Amino acid sequence: MNKTVTASEARNGFFAMLKLIETPGVSVTITYEGHPKGVLMSIEDFEGWMETLDIMAHSEEAKEIIERLHNWRNEKTVTLEEFKKNLDLA
């Protein structure tokens, strides 16, 4: 869900908007003189976007992720307990 507010509305309702963006996927577009100027979103959503941009900037990394998504049924998986044991964390 995306809400759009004017800069004046954003200033007057800032703390309410902070509560609003706690919901995953919710953002607020702030306009000034009728034009979008910025977006307010949760830190979790922002970090997710930044991670996505980082992956997209490295074509080999993106290629491997896509390849693994297509072949996930053929990938060998282990339980968390096996993983910890393999790392001597258990």
Side-chain angles (χ1 to χ4, degrees):
M1 176 181 120
N2 188 25
K3 181 176 179 161
T4 300
V5 298
T6 65
S8 295
E9 292 169 330
R11 180 182 56 231
N12 295 334
F14 185 71
F15 292 105
M17 287 189 310
L18 287 178
K19 286 286 184 195
L20 183 65
I21 64 169
E22 288 178 348
T23 304
V26 172
S27 63
V28 178
T29 300
I30 302 169
T31 65
Y32 181 71
E33 296 181 347
H35 302 284
K37 295 294 183 177
V39 175
L40 186 63
M41 67 175 65
S42 71
I43 190 66
E44 291 84 6
D45 285 351
F46 175 74
E47 288 173 346
W49 278 98
M50 295 306 292
E51 177 83 18
T52 299
L53 290 172
D54 184 55
I55 291 169
M56 290 173 62
H58 300 92
S59 60
E60 287 301 314
E61 194 173 325
K63 181 180 172 185
E64 183 172 340
I65 290 170
I66 291 169
E67 186 176 308
R68 287 182 178 264
L69 284 172
H70 286 288
N71 296 317
W72 68 270
R73 285 191 173 98
N74 300 329
E75 296 283 332
K76 181 182 181 319
T77 59
V78 296
T79 65
L80 178 59
E81 291 76 23
E82 291 172 317
F83 181 74
K84 287 180 180 179
K85 184 177 177 184
N86 289 341
L87 296 175
D88 292 324
L89 299 175

